[in-house]
Amino acid sequence: LNASLKTKRGELVFGGPTGFNIFSAEKSGEDLPVPRVIFSDLRLYQKSVGIGEKIDGVVVLNKSISEATEIVLPPNKNSFSIKFSALEYFNPEKNQYLYKLEDLNSEWLPVESKNHEITFNSLNPGEYKLRVKAANIDGIWSDNDAVLSITVQPPFWKTNGAFVLYAFLLMCILFVARRVIQQREQLKFALEQERREIQRVHELDIMKVKFFTNVSHEFRTPLTLILTPIEKLIKRATNPEQIVQFQLIQRNGKRLMSLVNQLLDFKKLEVQEIKFNPSEGDIVSFVKDTVLSFSDLTEKKNIKLEFHSSIEHIEMFFDQDKLEKILFNLLSNAFKFTLENGTVSVRIAPFEDGDESFVRIEVKDTGIGIARDKLDKIFEPFFQNDLPKSMVNQGSGIGLAITNEFVKIHGGQIKVTSEIGKGSSFTVSLPCKQIAKPADDGLAEGSPTVYEVADHLGMESLSPLNEQTEEENSKTKKKSLLLVEDNEDFRFYLKDNLKFSYTIIEARNGAEGWKQVLDLEPDLVVSDIMMPEMNGIELCSKIKSDARVSHTPVILLTARSSEEQKLEGFQTGADDYVTKPFNFEILEARINNLLKQRERSQKTFRKTLDIKASELQITPLDVKFVENAVKIVEKNVSSPDFSVEDLGMELGISRAYIYKKIQALTGKSPLEFIRTIRLQHAAQLLEKSQLSVREVAYKVGFNNPKYFTKYFKEHFHVLPSNYAASRQKDA
């Protein structure tokens, strides 16, 4: 202890057995070296990487890690660890280490001196520099860092080449998409042009049909006035020469009437109003008589007319009216396109095809013929064949189209063969089958009823005219009309004149008429007053006092014109009163006016739900019915579960009746009726309250605000939010 000394310069002197030692404070740390760091090992997934070892086809280390300046790691081998050590052996456990991975972090991070290892997990592809430095036990850091460049290769789909390929593919996709869009637009344009052309042609066809129909109607009255007197003249004439002339006039008048009716038939075919009305007869004699009616043309045009039949009689069912028009069209064309000294022949013969029997009718001529490329078009409406300049085609182009349809209605088929300059041959094949005999239905004898055709004829079943269903009426899109008349001839006259415009239902008296009203719910009732069992006044009173059918318009017919009876009829709720005798056109106009009034009342309801009798032109009972319906819906407007069945139960009528009733009065289905009232309430809430659209939707019974927005826009043509904003702004 006594062998020590501190000098003035701060030196410490310690004595010993062989001398003394001097320690200077300024030089005490200079002798401890600052350690140098070297990398000692590279490990991939806990496995050391050897020199020259390939990993996924890539050599990671070309030389020792301690000498390497760069390593390259293949794609997906981005989790690794690097070991290092300091070249200092004096208390190495007290050395300190820091590392920094440039391009990933900018700060030096400490490393545990015991492990001497840095681990990287899922390093992103790229280039990095790893720097490691060490400090001695005195905390002095080395300036000579250990540096290792690390490159993690990206997968192929992230390489520059891949991005170039992506860009190229994107350009190709854009180019192809552009071409596809262009082609699609061109196709849409072409289809639109084609659609417009088809629409134009269709409108032109409709204009033709309307023109022909209007002209035909104009022709029917004078033709009727020609044919009726000529029949009387034929009966009274005694001079054979006059009879021949009168018969010539009659034949051509009937032929002209047939042409007129053919134009009307074409219009009916377009709306599918033509029905198959077969009757039993001798088809051979029928065809023969029709052919002979063209005998006057043989003299006029010097054309030979022949008729051949392989059998004398063939009894079968066929529609005489339609078969006459089929033969008329084929023979008219044959004479029209056959030159002088030519021949027109008609042959009829039965034949078998398997288990079925047919009748073949062939109409052959030696005329100008038809080109083969046009044979498949001749049955199209308004198609006209090109004719030589010496011939003028005065046809309308609908004859063969009607013929084809009438043959199909019979369940048969028509074929044509032709050769230019040699003539044409039309072959009609009709099934020769019997049909079911009508059963006794209890109607008065002679009552006009059409019965069901046998299924093997390939036709739809035809129900009796007085039992037509609502489904059939909806298909034909014609209003249903109930004729209640005890005079059979008069009832037949009305039906025969109204059947083209309306679906006719018949009843022989008021009691039967009341049953038909409840069962079939016609759109309008025309009833005589004087009838057995129940007269017209009683029938009208029952209709107007029953909530189920009180909306049905009623026209009363009578031969008595007293003011008292008219007053009684109107007091029971009759919509109109027609006195016999009457002009048929006037009756038809009144029927049409009443139905139009009903349609106008429906349109009035669509515009507003403020129902007034003067606006809707309906009976007081109907006003009360609609008002009750509105009140019931308003009471349940917030209930999403309120249904048509609930409305019917509240009103005390069935679903079927409520549908027909509301549809007739408002033009809307019950579901639309309920929805309209909900939407009206919603509009009021949007206008006067501060509720959101969603809240309003739930408040008026809509479970889904999206559906509420959809229906609101359909009804008011504006979104609910815009409606509320505009109304509140106006306020």
Side-chain angles (χ1 to χ4, degrees), residues 236-447:
R236 296 176 182 177
T238 57
N239 189 328
E241 292 184 1
Q242 288 182 345
I243 293 176
V244 171
Q245 295 298 323
F246 290 155
Q247 288 176 343
L248 178 62
I249 295 172
Q250 186 186 46
R251 281 198 304 270
N252 284 278
K254 287 183 176 180
R255 192 172 296 156
L256 185 55
M257 180 67 82
S258 178
L259 284 170
V260 169
N261 291 333
Q262 181 172 275
L263 293 173
L264 298 177
D265 288 339
F266 184 75
K267 182 182 180 183
K268 294 176 191 174
L269 282 171
E270 287 202 331
V271 294
Q272 298 180 345
E273 291 183 1
I274 296 293
K275 292 186 177 181
F276 185 50
N277 298 310
S279 60
E280 190 173 8
D282 182 3
I283 193 171
V284 175
S285 61
F286 181 84
V287 173
K288 182 178 180 180
D289 292 341
T290 307
V291 172
L292 292 178
S293 68
F294 282 80
S295 57
D296 57 310
L297 289 179
T298 62
E299 299 177 3
K300 181 180 178 181
K301 299 189 67 174
N302 196 19
I303 295 174
K304 185 179 179 182
L305 178 61
E306 298 177 345
F307 174 78
H308 304 279
S309 176
S310 63
I311 191 170
E312 189 174 352
H313 299 287
I314 303 176
E315 293 291 334
M316 62 178 285
F317 279 90
F318 59 94
D319 190 325
Q320 295 188 7
D321 177 64
K322 294 176 179 58
L323 182 57
E324 182 181 24
K325 291 172 181 177
I326 291 170
L327 295 171
F328 178 85
N329 282 319
L330 296 179
L331 287 169
S332 295
N333 284 340
F335 277 98
K336 185 189 301 182
F337 302 125
T338 299
L339 301 178
E340 192 174 357
N341 299 320
T343 301
V344 174
S345 63
V346 179
R347 296 178 182 274
I348 182 170
F351 71 97
E352 300 289 333
D353 185 4
D355 295 333
E356 297 188 33
S357 299
F358 292 86
V359 171
R360 180 187 294 113
I361 304 173
E362 181 186 20
V363 179
K364 189 175 183 180
D365 64 67
T366 58
I368 61 174
I370 307 169
R372 290 194 176 186
D373 59 336
K374 295 181 180 178
L375 287 177
D376 57 342
K377 299 179 181 179
I378 61 174
F379 295 111
E380 296 178 1
F382 304 110
F383 174 79
Q384 292 183 331
N385 191 21
D386 296 331
L387 300 179
K389 294 181 179 179
S390 59
M391 300 183 68
V392 178
N393 189 356
Q394 298 177 349
S396 61
I398 64 173
L400 288 177
I402 293 176
T403 298
N404 186 38
E405 292 300 323
F406 283 175
V407 171
K408 290 180 180 178
I409 287 175
H410 275 82
Q413 60 180 347
I414 183 170
K415 296 181 180 179
V416 58
T417 58
S418 184
E419 189 175 347
I420 296 293
K422 292 187 178 181
S424 304
S425 175
F426 289 84
T427 303
V428 175
S429 299
L430 303 178
C432 181
K433 294 285 186 179
Q434 298 293 317
I435 65 174
K437 293 287 186 180
D440 184 13
D441 62 354
L443 290 178
E445 187 176 349
S447 178

Side-chain angles (χ1 to χ4, degrees), residues 601 604 610-619 623:
S601 71
T604 302
D610 184 16
I611 308 297
K612 294 180 181 178
S614 59
E615 293 176 332
L616 297 185
Q617 300 176 354
I618 55 181
T619 65
V623 175

Side-chain angles (χ1 to χ4, degrees), residues 479 481 502 523-526 544 551-556 570 573-578 587-602 616-617 664:
K479 298 290 185 181
L481 203 66
Y502 307 97
D523 293 295
L524 187 138
V525 176
V526 178
K544 295 302 180 180
H551 60 278
T552 308
V554 178
I555 298 177
L556 294 178
F570 284 122
D575 298 84
D576 210 340
Y577 204 102
V578 178
L587 174 63
E588 191 173 30
R590 291 184 176 181
I591 292 172
N592 191 40
N593 287 341
L594 284 175
L595 293 174
K596 284 185 177 179
Q597 285 178 7
R598 185 64 60 195
E599 292 175 357
R600 283 197 295 269
S601 71
Q602 294 172 358
L616 297 185
Q617 300 176 354

Side-chain angles (χ1 to χ4, degrees), residues 452-558:
E452 188 175 62
V453 180
D455 294 337
H456 54 250
L457 288 180
M459 303 301 301
E460 294 182 356
S461 296
L462 301 176
S463 300
L465 293 177
N466 61 343
E467 294 181 4
Q468 289 187 354
T469 62
E470 186 175 322
E471 181 182 356
E472 291 171 329
N473 292 336
S474 64
K475 285 182 180 179
T476 58
K477 298 182 180 178
K478 293 194 297 184
K479 298 290 185 181
S480 58
L481 203 66
L482 172 61
L483 299 178
V484 188
E485 172 62 57
D486 60 331
N487 186 299
E488 186 175 320
D489 292 335
F490 188 67
R491 189 173 74 244
F492 178 79
Y493 167 76
L494 291 177
K495 183 197 74 171
D496 194 57
N497 285 277
L498 293 170
K499 66 182 180 181
F500 300 109
S501 302
Y502 307 97
T503 299
I504 304 300
I505 307 167
E506 295 179 72
R508 294 184 298 245
N509 53 60
E512 186 178 325
W514 173 241
K515 184 177 182 300
Q516 298 281 38
V517 168
L518 292 180
D519 291 343
L520 302 179
E521 300 178 57
D523 293 295
L524 187 138
V525 176
V526 178
S527 174
D528 190 16
I529 288 183
M530 301 302 296
M531 293 181 297
E533 296 190 44
M534 182 189 293
N535 63 38
I537 298 292
E538 293 171 339
L539 174 63
C540 181
S541 178
K542 288 181 74 68
I543 291 174
K544 295 302 180 180
S545 60
D546 193 303
R548 296 172 294 178
V549 292
S550 59
H551 60 278
T552 308
V554 178
I555 298 177
L556 294 178
L557 305 176
T558 183

Side-chain angles (χ1 to χ4, degrees), residues 58-122:
V58 178
V59 176
V60 178
L61 292 175
N62 292 319
K63 49 187 175 181
S64 173
I65 185 66
S66 59
E67 299 177 356
T69 59
E70 180 183 9
I71 61 173
V72 178
L73 299 175
N76 302 322
K77 302 297 181 183
N78 53 356
S79 294
F80 59 95
S81 58
I82 296 178
K83 286 191 173 184
F84 57 88
S85 60
L87 299 179
E88 171 61 43
Y89 305 104
F90 182 74
N91 291 332
E93 64 278 1
K94 293 186 178 181
N95 292 337
Q96 301 178 53
Y97 301 93
L98 293 174
Y99 80 94
K100 177 170 64 173
L101 188 64
E102 294 181 353
D103 296 329
L104 183 64
N105 47 22
S106 57
E107 298 179 354
W108 290 93
L109 303 175
V111 182
E112 291 186 10
S113 57
K114 293 182 180 180
N115 294 335
H116 295 185
E117 184 177 7
I118 305 172
T119 300
F120 300 98
N121 292 313
S122 301

Side-chain angles (χ1 to χ4, degrees), residues 30-223:
E30 292 181 0
D31 292 336
L32 294 175
V34 178
R36 175 171 171 266
V37 179
I38 62 170
F39 297 106
S40 59
D41 191 17
L42 172 64
R43 299 176 67 85
L44 280 175
Y45 300 104
Q46 305 302 321
K47 181 181 178 182
S48 296
V49 179
I51 299 173
E53 181 181 353
K54 287 186 177 181
I55 299 176
D56 291 347
V58 178
V59 176
V60 178
L61 292 175
N62 292 319
K63 49 187 175 181
S64 173
I65 185 66
S66 59
E67 299 177 356
T69 59
E70 180 183 9
I71 61 173
V72 178
L73 299 175
N76 302 322
K77 302 297 181 183
N78 53 356
S79 294
F80 59 95
S81 58
I82 296 178
K83 286 191 173 184
F84 57 88
S85 60
L87 299 179
E88 171 61 43
Y89 305 104
F90 182 74
N91 291 332
E93 64 278 1
K94 293 186 178 181
N95 292 337
Q96 301 178 53
Y97 301 93
L98 293 174
Y99 80 94
K100 177 170 64 173
L101 188 64
E102 294 181 353
D103 296 329
L104 183 64
N105 47 22
S106 57
E107 298 179 354
W108 290 93
L109 303 175
V111 182
E112 291 186 10
S113 57
K114 293 182 180 180
N115 294 335
H116 295 185
E117 184 177 7
I118 305 172
T119 300
F120 300 98
N121 292 313
S122 301
L123 198 63
N124 291 329
E127 295 182 353
Y128 307 91
K129 277 191 176 181
L130 176 63
R131 293 181 177 273
V132 181
K133 63 180 179 179
N136 58 18
I137 58 177
D138 293 328
I140 299 175
W141 294 94
S142 67
D143 295 329
N144 187 16
D145 304 339
V147 181
L148 180 65
S149 295
I150 301 173
T151 301
V152 180
Q153 293 181 336
F156 172 76
W157 50 274
K158 282 189 176 181
T159 61
N160 292 334
F163 285 113
V164 172
L165 180 61
Y166 297 155
F168 176 74
L169 290 176
L170 180 61
M171 291 177 63
C172 291
I173 291 171
L174 292 175
F175 176 76
V176 172
R178 182 174 178 274
R179 289 295 301 272
V180 169
I181 292 172
Q182 285 181 335
Q183 292 177 355
R184 185 178 298 170
E185 292 300 318
Q186 290 173 353
L187 180 60
K188 285 173 62 177
F189 178 77
L191 290 174
E192 180 65 20
Q193 290 293 101
E194 184 178 355
R195 188 191 65 80
R196 289 182 180 179
E197 180 62 21
I198 293 173
Q199 181 68 20
R200 188 188 67 80
V201 172
H202 179 64
E203 290 175 354
L204 183 61
D205 289 347
I206 291 175
M207 289 177 61
K208 288 180 181 179
V209 173
K210 285 184 178 179
F211 171 75
F212 287 136
T213 303
N214 293 336
V215 171
S216 300
H217 279 292
E218 294 296 326
F219 283 163
R220 294 188 77 175
T221 301
L223 280 173

